[in-house]
Amino acid sequence: SQQGEEDPQALSIQEGENATMNCSYKTSINNLQWYRQNSGRGLVHLILIRSNEREKHSGRLRVTLDTSKKSSSLLITASRAADTASYFCGPQTSGSRLTFGEGTQLTVNP
Amino acid sequence: DTEVTQTPKHLVMGMTNKKSLKCEQHMGHRAMYWYKQKAKKPPELMFVYSYEKLSINESVPSRFSPECPNSSLLNLHLHALQPEDSALYLCASSQPRRTNEKLFFGSGTQLSVL
């Protein structure tokens, strides 16, 4: 299995602004998943993008995948205080188990 | 029901105690996982059960003993833990596909070892 590397490690924005966080990985993947974790809680699956997809939307979330650069980005539009959380990416290769990078800690200030 | 339920939510134990963490899901998932997460760090995979059989043990010390009594339940038995084992223990489940396995996580057990 491989883990992604999220960037930046921490991001602080004002409510209503957009938040962008990035994930890089090293080897070819079948899919890449993004998860959110509120402090002291479990992870919540946000979105899965397959290797043959370039962009995917879910509500205020937009995920892109560039397999040539081995990178993905997660955009949260019109952020809210409730979006404050840690965000983890999980690149997944065939038959491998999901592992996570250090994550991006997003703080949305009211 | 899309929930993974973990009990207890909090646990304090001494180094000589024996305790168990429990995890339950009723989504029909046949893969279940234990992760360990230290503060401000990502979850680290400990064990994976697939169809009630242990398929992955990430070199976890024997003081952690997993058990999968049936397809809905996963236990983690703890014995002679060390203070450095204090962490958030997360259970997760999924359908055991080779790819595109979306994980459903419980809220975790916050463990403190004194």
Side-chain angles (χ1 to χ4, degrees):
Chain A
S1 58
Q2 66 168 317
Q3 65 185 60
E5 292 183 16
E6 293 90 347
D7 173 66
Q9 288 187 338
L11 180 60
S12 182
I13 60 174
Q14 295 300 121
E15 209 164 23
E17 293 180 342
N18 295 342
T20 299
M21 52 204 88
N22 304 296
C23 172
S24 60
Y25 56 91
K26 291 186 168 54
T27 64
S28 296
I29 58 172
N30 286 103
N31 72 77
L32 187 141
Q33 303 180 38
W34 285 92
Y35 287 78
R36 182 189 74 228
Q37 184 179 34
N38 292 93
S39 180
R41 306 281 291 176
L43 279 70
V44 175
H45 181 270
L46 294 177
I47 201 163
L48 180 153
I49 187 165
R50 293 182 171 80
S51 59
N52 61 353
E53 297 175 314
R54 291 296 166 258
E55 188 170 312
K56 204 162 181 180
H57 297 254
S58 177
R60 293 184 295 112
L61 306 181
R62 182 173 81 103
V63 168
T64 61
L65 180 64
D66 187 334
T67 52
S68 66
K69 294 181 179 177
K70 293 186 172 55
S71 68
S72 173
S73 67
L74 171 67
L75 168 68
I76 304 174
T77 60
S79 63
R80 305 167 182 167
D83 295 327
T84 294
S86 293
Y87 291 81
F88 296 95
C89 72
Q92 193 171 32
T93 53
S94 177
S96 74
R97 297 303 176 178
L98 206 57
T99 56
F100 301 99
E102 297 291 318
T104 292
Q105 173 59 53
L106 173 65
T107 302
V108 181
N109 302 299
Chain B
D1 184 359
T2 58
E3 275 197 1
V4 176
T5 304
Q6 289 189 244
T7 55
K9 294 194 184 307
H10 302 273
L11 180 62
V12 179
M13 61 185 291
M15 289 189 284
T16 58
N17 291 159
K18 286 185 181 180
K19 297 286 184 183
S20 296
L21 309 184
K22 296 186 185 302
C23 175
E24 189 168 4
Q25 57 88 15
H26 295 287
M27 294 178 278
H29 290 168
R30 301 303 296 275
M32 296 187 77
Y33 311 74
W34 281 114
Y35 283 84
K36 172 184 176 180
Q37 186 177 27
K38 303 283 277 186
K40 300 192 186 301
K41 289 293 186 182
E44 295 178 359
L45 185 63
M46 299 175 72
F47 302 104
V48 181
Y49 274 83
S50 183
Y51 296 97
E52 296 84 69
K53 291 191 185 333
L54 183 64
S55 60
I56 293 179
N57 175 343
E58 294 285 359
S59 303
V60 179
S62 60
R63 57 185 185 268
F64 296 91
S65 175
E67 178 196 21
C68 190
N70 60 55
S71 60
S72 299
L73 293 174
L74 184 67
N75 299 321
L76 186 62
H77 303 298
L78 314 173
H79 173 56
L81 295 194
Q82 304 296 310
E84 59 264 30
D85 296 321
S86 297
L88 180 67
Y89 288 83
L90 295 165
C91 173
S93 71
S94 74
Q95 290 292 7
R97 300 190 184 96
R98 285 184 58 80
T99 60
N100 303 324
E101 292 177 4
K102 169 184 167 181
L103 298 185
F104 291 78
F105 281 83
S107 295
T109 293
Q110 187 65 56
L111 174 68
S112 296
V113 182
L114 304 180

